[in-house]
Amino acid sequence: MNYIIPQSELKVVGTRPVRPDGVDKVTGRATFGADMTLAGMIWGKMLRSPHAHARIVAIDTSRALALPGVRAVVTAADFPDIASEEAFVGEGPMNFRDLSRNCLARDKVLYEGHAVAAVAAASQSVAEAALDLIDVTYEVLPHVIDVEAAMAAGAPILHEDMFTVGIEPKPTKPSNIAKRVAFAKGDAEAGFREADVIVEGRYTTQPVHQAYIEPHACLAQVAADGQAHIYSSTQGQFMVRAYCAKVLGWEIADIRSYPMEIGGGFGGKTLVYLEPVALALARKAGRPVKMVMTREEVFRASGPTSGAVIEVKIGARRDGSIVAAREVLKYQAGAFAGSPIGPGCMCGFAMYDLPNVDVVGYDVVSNRPKVAAYRAPGAPITSFAVESAMDDLARKLKIDPLALREMNGARDGSKTHYGVTHRDIGFLATLEAARSHPHYSAPLKPGQGRGVACGFWFNIGGESSGAVHVNEDGSISVVSGNPDIGGSRASMAMMAAEVLGVPIEHVRPIVGDTASIGFSHLTGGSRVTFATGMAVTQAAERVVDQLKQRAAQIWEIPAEAVEWKDGKAYPAGLNAGAFEPLSLAQIALKAGRTGGPISSEVTLNAQGAGPGFGCHICDVEVDSETGHVKILRYTAVQDVGKAIHPSYVEGQIQGGAAQGIGWALNEEYIYDKDGKMENAGFLDYRVPVASDLPLIEAVMVEVPNPRHPFGVRGVGEVPIVPPMAAVANAIRAATGLRMPDLPISPPKLRAALDAASGAKAA
Amino acid sequence: MSKHHVTTTINGEETEFLCETQETLLDVLRNTLNLTGSKEGCASGDCGACSVIADGTLVCSCLMLGVEAEGKTITTVEGIADGETLHPVQRQFLEHAALQCGFCTPGFIVATKALLDANPDPTEEEARYWLAGNLCRCTGYDKIIRAVMDAAAEMRGEARAA
Amino acid sequence: MPHVVFAGSDASRFTGGRTELEVTATTFRRLVRELDERFPGLGARVEVGMAVAIDGVIYQDAYAAPLAEGSEIVLIPKIGGG
């Protein structure tokens, strides 16, 4: 592959400049979703179900409407009852009927926290008081929280029209199992018969929330002619526009969607919760309406990702070669179908070259909030099980765990169990980097343990737009359609600066609203640096072509006789040295005389995002008195393609690892017997804090993706895949205990330690 | 419902505002004074995104009532830089790429300033425990801790720590 | 002829369990039409929920993606992300 600029000649890409939006973010100037105000703005609040499962018999809003200061109340009756329509939009499967019913419940509430009605009032306190005056009559129904209980015969059924897809013959009775999926390669049964050693396990994971620090927030305004503006904290302004139009039955062109700064998303802000409701309230009230979730609402009604039960079995010959693998996965979808069961079925064994594989997955609804995407959706859950089992296998075979993975690791030409043949991948390079890292051979003290685990993610491309404008003074504006969630302004500006040959300081990146730049899929799936970066790079190349052509006009020579170097036009060939080089500013000054503004917007649907692989090494120490696990040292090795801004690539890896450590040790949704969440706050839903973690070393292995002009691969998803098994394997090494149920919280581990020592004593 | 009249000093300027009894200082800062740099992440004192310094003490402004600001001296993230000149803590956060989404950043900047005012030479462990009241979901804290340690060293007039 | 593999049940439930197939299509667009003609409903399923890997490179929503003679074409569930 020809990269557009040889790696050795890169001047901007691969450096670590201060991000262009940095000063705004360290001084408090950056405007996030809840920071926006408009003249005449009032406040919206949501009434939510206190029940896990109930029929809505009646909603009486008259007392609320009579309260002074209340301007509008809406319920599902104010929205069209839209038909079931499956779509795959940006980040995952979506049924618009479900989306609508998740925004405001119709007929039934399906989980505690499910939105039932909304009110807009002059102040927050009046809006809150009005919620108490909305009278909802419920007929409480039996509920089900646990995934296997939801699958069992006789379980309370959430959707009378849900019949399991993927079973022949088509079922005649409704079920909470939305879908069964299966993948097979070779003959797993026969494979297991050849195995000398077999490991088996049953693993469980709990739903965890993306836990972005910024709660969902938006501000909506609707003019008398129906033209609307929506300002929101979202991973995709075009997604907000499309989903709102769908749920409200409006035309897309009537909605202009503005992306505010976004305070974290990790997949959790890839759908709408408040926005259509705020628009409906704003239309009814004739005033701009701001809605901001509380943290409690964020936990009860948005996100999380699936909890799951996974059974895994792996068989190998005595030399370590794996002959068969089997997995059964049951993923919670929350109240509506659509867990990441597909990637769950594919990712666990994707890293290995296996002759015989059998994987079956179930997508299961229960009375919990509808799951949303969370970093590498589906992959961390399956990999927790598979990588734990791989550790057991290495132990049984007395083979180094990385050597076992190298022996069976996927390489170019390896055919996965889902049929795709790997190409241009860096798994073995990643394993090699992990094996040769000093951490892997560093001595441990008694009572300490080391674990390793690996992870895979596909990465995606998708539809993106990028525009490069040469301003009148020669400075550059770069516009993209993707909210900057972790430094993408910097990487867009850097790629444009590299192509244009100008210092990064002359390039100002802008995140455009839906009327300022072409359609773009949302920021997610680690696609922006890859796909939007491709659009920006191509736009910059076209601008260079224009600049050369303009210089040629000024010099009255053919455009082919102009060379672009270091941000300047040089006469080349026969004309070399005939004219003084022209700077960007000099050419920009004559733009009007040479044909008009110099700019280019490229829209594309990027294909060929290269998959990424990670290998994490984790050292722990277990306090046998309390069951507390201290992470002593953590190293995350990852195949990153090409790091545009290495600091932000490292940041993705470190942040993903930290989230995975939280998933492994602390985070979970806890329900009481009535199906109500008991820990809907950061005090009881404990995400890792600074004192929980050591420095996290991120090791970047650069195996360029030949289908990107700079070799970029997505990097944000992979790092959350390995940590749970890396931590569990380290605990196994330190204590001798295989902990198959997440989170491995202190009480759980202490009980296991006590049981083990009791068993020993007895 | 009558409002309270409060006189206070915010970021060096004498400031007056009216607030309801139940309004938090964070509500007042954000909704009345338009100082939206302080963020609400939880409203329960668990995330630290609303950190301010009140009479020299680091507090969550979501846990303090607006009326409690009477007569106090409050520093918010908007008051950390000296005009156009960034505070060393702000500069080190930028140089270390110690932020991704930037939402928790104002709280970390304020909390770090309070730390270094109180303890100019913290160990890494001391810095981690001081900042344990500030949640960051993006970075895994690695680059934040490096930025804090380097800011401390810079403010002590030493060369870079790491 | 391009060789198509349906590894997952998402596609094979339309094909009566058949998991491999030779096709005449030369682009992804033609493949969708050809599949739908042979297995009614599969084309729509592919459009909404499936991606295609052509010789190991994954394409989503790309009608023009060429299917070369001897290409290995694999239909898998569409991939999103966080």
Side-chain angles (χ1 to χ4, degrees), chain C:
Chain C
M1 281 169 132
H3 184 72
V4 179
V5 177
F6 320 111
S9 58
D10 231 19
S12 59
R13 66 187 159 98
F14 289 91
T15 62
R18 196 160 167 191
T19 57
E20 303 200 18
L21 195 68
E22 303 292 319
V23 294
T24 58
T26 51
T27 64
F28 181 60
R29 174 66 184 135
R30 291 199 177 163
L31 174 69
V32 169
R33 292 165 67 160
E34 188 174 337
L35 291 177
D36 210 54
E37 276 162 25
R38 292 171 72 168
F39 309 106
L42 179 55
R45 179 68 213 146
V46 168
E47 292 239 329
V48 173
M50 306 205 77
V52 62
I54 304 172
D55 295 325
V57 179
I58 295 176
Y59 293 80
Q60 307 207 122
D61 306 316
Y63 274 170
L67 316 183
E69 187 65 35
S71 281
E72 176 199 72
I73 316 296
V74 186
L75 291 170
I76 60 169
K78 249 184 209 178
I79 310 296

Side-chain angles (χ1 to χ4, degrees), chain A residues 419-442:
Chain A
V420 176
T421 302
H422 281 303
R423 182 166 149 184
D424 310 312
I425 60 169
F427 185 42
L428 295 184
T430 304
L431 287 172
E432 173 51 34
R435 195 122 89 115
S436 59
H437 192 280
H439 182 174
Y440 195 57
S441 48

Side-chain angles (χ1 to χ4, degrees), chain A residues 280-520:
Chain A
L281 285 170
R283 181 177 54 178
K284 244 185 172 175
R287 298 275 287 272
V289 174
K290 188 192 297 205
M291 295 186 84
V292 183
M293 278 196 198
T294 63
R295 176 56 50 184
E296 204 182 316
E297 288 180 289
V298 171
F299 275 117
R300 288 191 205 281
S302 75
T305 189
S306 307
V309 176
I310 312 108
E311 287 157 31
V312 61
K313 179 175 172 183
I314 304 175
R317 291 211 180 87
R318 208 160 306 283
D319 67 0
S321 54
I322 297 173
V323 288
R326 168 172 294 154
E327 211 183 0
V328 178
L329 308 104
K330 300 160 185 169
Y331 276 27
Q332 295 164 356
F336 299 95
S339 73
I341 189 65
C345 289
M346 293 190 280
C347 289
F349 294 125
M351 289 175 282
Y352 303 111
D353 193 335
L354 309 176
N356 304 296
V357 183
D358 184 18
V359 179
V360 177
Y362 298 93
D363 180 29
V364 184
V365 298
S366 65
N367 296 110
R368 296 168 173 269
K370 174 184 171 21
V371 300
Y374 183 19
R375 267 185 138 138
I381 299 166
T382 185
S383 288
F384 166 60
V386 169
E387 292 298 291
S388 294
M390 287 293 284
D391 197 64
D392 288 346
L393 183 62
R395 242 167 238 290
K396 253 186 158 165
L397 290 165
K398 299 192 169 54
I399 295 178
D400 173 89
L402 288 183
L404 177 67
R405 289 171 172 88
E406 271 171 20
M407 195 183 303
N408 294 287
R411 51 209 80 202
D412 287 354
S414 295
K415 196 176 177 69
T416 61
H417 64 287
Y418 49 90
V420 176
T421 302
H422 281 303
R423 182 166 149 184
D424 310 312
I425 60 169
F427 185 42
L428 295 184
T430 304
L431 287 172
E432 173 51 34
R435 195 122 89 115
S436 59
H437 192 280
H439 182 174
Y440 195 57
S441 48
L444 289 167
K445 291 188 187 135
Q448 301 179 343
R450 175 168 299 144
V452 295
C454 297
F456 162 87
W457 185 250
F458 302 93
N459 297 321
I460 54 169
E463 294 173 62
S464 277
S465 301
V468 175
H469 305 297
V470 180
N471 299 316
E472 302 92 298
D473 60 357
S475 63
I476 305 292
S477 298
V478 172
V479 190
S480 83
N482 286 104
D484 180 353
I485 206 164
S488 63
R489 283 188 186 86
S491 58
M492 294 308 121
M494 289 171 75
M495 285 185 264
E498 187 73 65
V499 174
L500 292 162
V502 298
I504 175 94
E505 294 75 24
H506 291 304
V507 181
R508 287 295 168 200
I510 294 159
V511 180
D513 65 76
T514 54
S516 307
I517 182 75
F519 177 86
S520 301

Side-chain angles (χ1 to χ4, degrees), chain A residues 174-229:
Chain A
S175 163
N176 292 323
I177 304 171
K179 186 169 159 185
R180 178 187 185 274
V181 288
F183 292 88
K185 177 186 176 191
D187 182 342
E189 266 320 304
F192 281 117
R193 283 196 294 273
E194 287 175 39
D196 299 315
V197 172
I198 288 178
V199 293
E200 280 184 271
R202 178 189 150 91
Y203 296 84
T204 64
T205 72
Q206 295 302 316
V208 293
H209 199 277
Q210 297 79 350
Y212 28 80
I213 311 299
E214 181 202 28
H216 297 263
C218 70
L219 171 58
Q221 183 180 41
V222 186
D225 65 356
Q227 294 196 59
H229 293 219

Side-chain angles (χ1 to χ4, degrees), chain A residues 19 22 26 28 32 34-35 124 209-211 213-215 262-264 266 295 374 485 647-648 650-651 654-655 658-659 667 682-683 688-691 693-696, chain B residues 20 22 30-31 36-37 39-42 46-47 77-78 86 90 93-94 97 99-103 105-106 109 124 128-129 132 135 137-143 146:
Chain A
R19 60 195 277 170
V26 297
F32 288 82
D35 299 340
Q124 296 191 73
H209 199 277
Q210 297 79 350
I213 311 299
E214 181 202 28
I262 170 172
F266 317 111
R295 176 56 50 184
Y374 183 19
I485 206 164
S647 296
Y648 287 98
E650 291 164 357
Q654 292 161 337
Q659 290 180 344
E667 297 180 35
F682 277 137
L683 190 60
V689 303
S691 52
L693 298 172
L695 292 172
I696 295 169
Chain B
E20 294 174 17
Q22 80 282 4
R30 291 181 53 80
N31 300 332
T36 56
K39 305 300 180 193
E40 182 173 310
C42 68
D46 297 311
C47 80
V77 67
E78 288 91 345
L86 295 181
Q90 293 171 313
F93 266 64
L94 291 180
L99 62 150
Q100 280 175 37
C101 77
F103 189 79
T105 310
I109 298 284
E124 183 195 321
R128 285 187 180 274
Y129 275 91
L135 301 182
R137 192 60 159 172
C138 296
T139 65
Y141 305 102
D142 182 289
K143 292 183 189 302
R146 291 175 196 274

